[in-house]
């Protein structure tokens, strides 16, 4: 069964914890990407990993309405979820499927990535049974990241072999070399030159590949341009920085996360005991009252580490977190705070005292790592 990646407000009573994303900020970020590339360059939006934790279905709907050219994810389940949500934008399936799965990949209408002959032959066999026209594929080249792809020196030969297969059309050729500091940036420049040399040699040999892509969020944030026909932004679409602040500021990209919220399910008065400082949650309790919300580790929230003291917001008032369990978040409530069952708590926000960067620092995570911990169980509302 495919997980549910979105919901509406009506489904939030049984487990009242949810995420809100800002559709206008997402459209703004897409426009900022378009400003950084030449006219006619395609935007392949990376929505892998549940749209970087923001909810792949609502994110993809906004991007489709904004006219993005293609969506890319490494998960077959997520690709299917896009179609289930009515998203019709072409979907590039990044490397992640075994050769024997290519029949189902093509049957669903997804564009597969190949990087060796086994994968290409599997696509060709599946295409001979399911397609009336040559099936488009993308070839991924490993320019030096050291992850998935055909090696640079083997890429031309692989493309020649694939081009000889009657059932396949090499529609795209791409690579990925991300960086987050000056040393990584210098290495990426060097490796990208080799990819561009490959494109030049293919063109000189008369090999025409319609879609070529090398630049992603790091390079786009630095203002790089090239002669490829597409770019593939990820982090910056969501207002996340892929590089250290000393290298580049994220402005003018905006966080699309508005908030992670939960509602209070119980308020407790511990005046009759146990005493503060005795044991269990009372060991850290300073106030007589506590409030509990269903936002625990299973929802992706984590306790602060070290000397950090985590907070949540209740009507702009900071309440100290004293416990995080599998299913629940417990905070202490000062006497001058009026709080009741059903009240809203802001666990993470786009900015302010519980901004994503701040919460991630409490947990000793990077912001993207904090986003990844929020489970697919959490409903996402585009507002």
């Amino acid at each position: 069964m495919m997980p549910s990646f979105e919901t509406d407000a009506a489904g939030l009573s049984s487990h009242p914890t949810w995420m809100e994303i800002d559709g206008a900020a997402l459209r703004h970020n897409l426009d900022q990407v378009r400003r950084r590339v030449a006219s006619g360059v395609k935007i392949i939006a990376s929505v892998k990993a549940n749209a970087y934790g923001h909810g792949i279905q609502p994110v993809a709907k906004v991007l489709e309405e904004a006219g993005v050219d293609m969506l890319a994810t490494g998960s077959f389940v997520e690709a299917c979820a896009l179609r289930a949500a009515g998203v019709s934008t072409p979907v590039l399936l990044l490397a992640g499927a075994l050769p024997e799965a290519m029949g189902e990949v093509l049957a669903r209408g997804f564009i597969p990535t190949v990087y060796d002959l086994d994968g290409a032959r599997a696509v060709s066999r599946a295409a001979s049974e399911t397609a009336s026209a040559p099936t488009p594929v993308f070839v991924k080249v490993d320019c030096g990241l050291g992850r998935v792809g055909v090696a640079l020196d083997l890429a031309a030969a692989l493309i020649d072999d694939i081009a000889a297969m009657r059932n396949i059309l090499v529609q795209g050729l791409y690579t990925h070399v991300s960086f987050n500091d000056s040393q990584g940036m210098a290495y990426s420049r060097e490796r990208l030159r080799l990819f561009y040399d490959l494109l030049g040699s293919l063109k000189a040999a008369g090999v025409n590949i319609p879609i070529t892509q090398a630049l992603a969020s790091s390079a786009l944030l630095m203002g790089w341009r090239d002669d490829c026909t597409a770019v593939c932004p990820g982090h910056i679409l969501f207002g996340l920085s892929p590089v250290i602040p000393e290298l580049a500021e994220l402005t003018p990209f905006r966080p699309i996360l508005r908030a992670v919220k939960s509602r209070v399910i119980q308020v407790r008065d511990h005046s009759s005991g146990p005493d503060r400082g005795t044991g269990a949650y009372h060991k850290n309790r300073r106030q007589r009252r506590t409030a509990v919300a269903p936002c625990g580790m299973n929802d992706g929230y984590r306790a602060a580490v070290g000397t950090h003291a985590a907070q949540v917001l209740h009507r702009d008032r900071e309440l100290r977190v004293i416990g995080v369990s599998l299913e629940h978040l417990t905070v202490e409530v000062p006497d001058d705070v009026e709080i009741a069952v059903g009240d809203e708590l802001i666990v993470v926000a786009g900015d302010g005292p519980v901004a994503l960067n701040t919460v991630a620092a409490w947990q000793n995570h990077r912001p993207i790592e904090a986003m990844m911990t929020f489970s697919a169980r959490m409903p996402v509302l585009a507002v």
Side-chain angles (χ1 to χ4, degrees), residues 7-23:
T7 190
D8 55 30
L12 293 176
S13 296
S14 58
H15 187 81
T17 298
W18 70 100
M19 181 186 297
E20 295 177 358
I21 63 169
D22 187 339

Side-chain angles (χ1 to χ4, degrees), residues 253-335:
F253 295 94
R254 303 173 184 167
I256 77 161
L257 175 68
R258 290 192 62 176
V260 173
K261 297 180 178 180
S262 191
R263 292 191 182 277
V264 173
I265 59 171
Q266 187 179 32
V267 178
R268 299 280 307 279
D269 187 331
H270 303 281
S271 298
S272 60
D275 293 336
R276 288 174 290 179
T278 52
Y281 281 17
H282 305 285
K283 183 177 182 179
N284 296 321
R285 181 171 63 84
R286 301 170 185 168
Q287 308 291 336
R288 67 181 177 88
R289 291 185 301 159
T290 60
V292 178
C295 185
M297 286 183 275
N298 191 44
D299 300 284
Y301 195 68
R302 296 291 182 269
V305 298
T307 59
H308 295 294
Q311 316 281 337
V312 300
L313 293 183
H314 174 262
R315 299 174 184 166
D316 296 326
R317 180 76 177 266
E318 295 176 30
L319 303 182
R320 191 171 71 95
V321 175
I322 62 171
V324 182
S325 63
L326 294 180
E327 298 280 1
H328 298 112
L329 169 69
T330 303
V331 300
E332 61 179 4
V333 183
D335 286 345

Side-chain angles (χ1 to χ4, degrees), residues 8 29 44 72 79 110-111 114 118 121 214 228 238 269 277 318 322:
D8 55 30
N29 293 343
I44 304 172
F110 307 139
I111 303 169
V114 297
D118 286 343
R121 287 169 180 153
C228 289
F238 306 103
D269 187 331
E318 295 176 30
I322 62 171

